Amino acid sequence: MNLFPTQGFEAAGRAALAHLHHRLGFGLWMITRTQGQDWIVLQSDDHGYGVAPGEVFPWADSFCSQMVRGNGPRIAPDSDIVPAYAVAPIGQRVPIKAYIGVPLTGADGSLFGTLCAIDPAPQPNAITGEQELVELVASMLSTILAAELNLADEVRRAERLQVQAHVDPLTQLSNRRAWDQLLAKEEERCRRYGHPAAVLAVDLDALKGVNDSAGHAAGDALIVRAAQALREVAREIDTVARLGGDEFGMIVVECDNTGADVVLERIREAFARHQVQASVGMAMRSPAMGLALAWQEADARMYANKRAK
């Protein structure tokens, strides 16, 4: 197996799954991410199950959740004789008679996900002798993963440098062109690592009235105040952009539903401090939908918020 730390996590994962299938068989090998209640398939080497990257299963239903809690072995040639596996709900959805699973961990040792395999038929007991190999592969993948995630902030800074020419001159925020590029880059990371993310669409409510009644200088001042309010809320790793005359967008990275709700409330508080009236829509990225469609959903919710006013 040509698997070295110099390879990226995605390429190393593909090589690992192909090698393990070649050596051990099994109808499905996966690299997964656990995120809240979700068990997200990041990569799969599928031979009959029809499971593709991006699919999401309930974490609590999986054999892997039982394995991580110590309720079942890491290799079960006949999973039906393991009580925790025999009653796991995922076994009612897909045929599973043999199982392999080991944890993948982050740099701090916390659970990231699993390297696992299932097959619709029981396997020879001899496969238990391959546990050391599977754990070694998982350890190598965890090391590569930790190194990449530790560099994530530097990668984001480098991406911003690449688009620094695409800046809105009034607010000094990213413009539409930079937004499109950074959204695509963040989607690549979300797909590769299973990161959660939120997208927010913002539209100022009173810009036309301010321009008509007080002049465009006052309107520009309102836009600048809105930009400052969004900057105060965003972290360095987030993206804030001015997308049009009175339209803004924000990508909040590595953020779950609870965190996104906090960000939304902070935006409202910041707008109140800066005397900005705006309509806001928020949507969470899902593995099936991706950030581009989440952005469309956030935009639709923003307009619904505006109409409700």
Side-chain angles (χ1 to χ4, degrees), residues 9-216:
F9 177 68
E10 193 167 25
R14 287 195 300 268
L17 296 184
H19 175 81
L20 289 170
H21 173 71
H22 178 74
R23 183 179 179 105
L24 299 176
F26 278 69
L28 174 65
W29 283 89
M30 298 187 294
I31 293 172
T32 72
R33 169 78 186 266
T34 63
Q35 180 60 47
Q37 303 301 313
D38 293 336
W39 190 40
I40 306 165
V41 180
L42 300 183
Q43 295 188 41
S44 65
D45 190 282
D46 186 275
H47 301 269
Y49 275 95
V51 174
E55 291 200 45
V56 180
F57 300 92
W59 168 241
D61 291 357
S62 68
F63 284 20
C64 285
S65 68
Q66 298 297 328
M67 176 273 296
V68 166
R69 291 198 291 267
N71 295 334
R74 293 185 172 183
I75 297 184
D78 184 352
S79 56
D80 279 350
I81 67 175
V82 180
Y85 297 159
V87 299
I90 199 166
Q92 307 302 315
R93 297 181 56 180
V94 294
I96 305 174
K97 297 298 181 181
Y99 167 75
I100 295 174
V102 293
L104 297 175
T105 58
D108 60 357
S110 62
L111 180 68
F112 174 86
T114 61
L115 168 66
C116 60
I118 57 175
D119 197 82
Q123 298 296 304
N125 286 331
I127 66 166
T128 57
E130 301 285 359
Q131 182 167 328
E132 184 176 352
L133 168 66
V134 179
E135 290 178 345
L136 175 62
V137 172
S139 177
M140 294 173 67
L141 289 175
S142 294
T143 299
I144 297 168
L145 171 69
E148 286 193 14
L149 294 181
N150 283 337
L151 290 173
D153 290 353
E154 292 183 24
V155 171
R156 288 187 176 101
R157 281 192 286 271
E159 290 168 357
R160 282 170 172 76
L161 288 174
Q162 291 174 1
V163 299
Q164 64 183 354
H166 308 307
V167 173
D168 171 59
L170 178 61
T171 62
Q172 296 304 299
L173 296 177
S174 297
N175 65 12
R176 168 73 72 169
R177 184 172 180 182
W179 167 268
D180 289 341
Q181 293 181 29
L182 294 173
L183 191 76
K185 291 288 187 181
E186 202 59 53
E187 172 59 23
E188 289 177 12
R189 262 186 297 278
C190 289
R191 179 189 54 77
R192 186 177 300 121
Y193 305 121
H195 290 327
V199 187
L200 293 99
V202 178
D203 194 88
L204 303 184
D205 292 338
L207 182 61
K208 184 178 186 303
V210 171
N211 283 335
D212 291 344
S213 63
H216 286 276

Side-chain angles (χ1 to χ4, degrees), residues 215-226:
H216 286 276
D220 287 350
L222 173 60
I223 292 169
V224 170
R225 293 201 307 275

Side-chain angles (χ1 to χ4, degrees), residues 256-300:
D256 60 15
N257 282 278
T258 301
D261 288 339
V262 171
V263 170
L264 184 58
E265 183 58 31
R266 288 177 178 171
I267 287 174
R268 289 169 175 155
E269 292 170 355
F271 281 162
R273 287 195 305 272
H274 288 273
Q275 298 182 316
V276 173
Q277 295 179 357
S279 300
V280 183
M282 182 185 74
M284 295 298 301
R285 178 193 183 272
S286 73
M289 184 168 62
L291 280 176
L293 290 178
W295 165 243
Q296 294 179 21
E297 183 177 343
D299 200 48

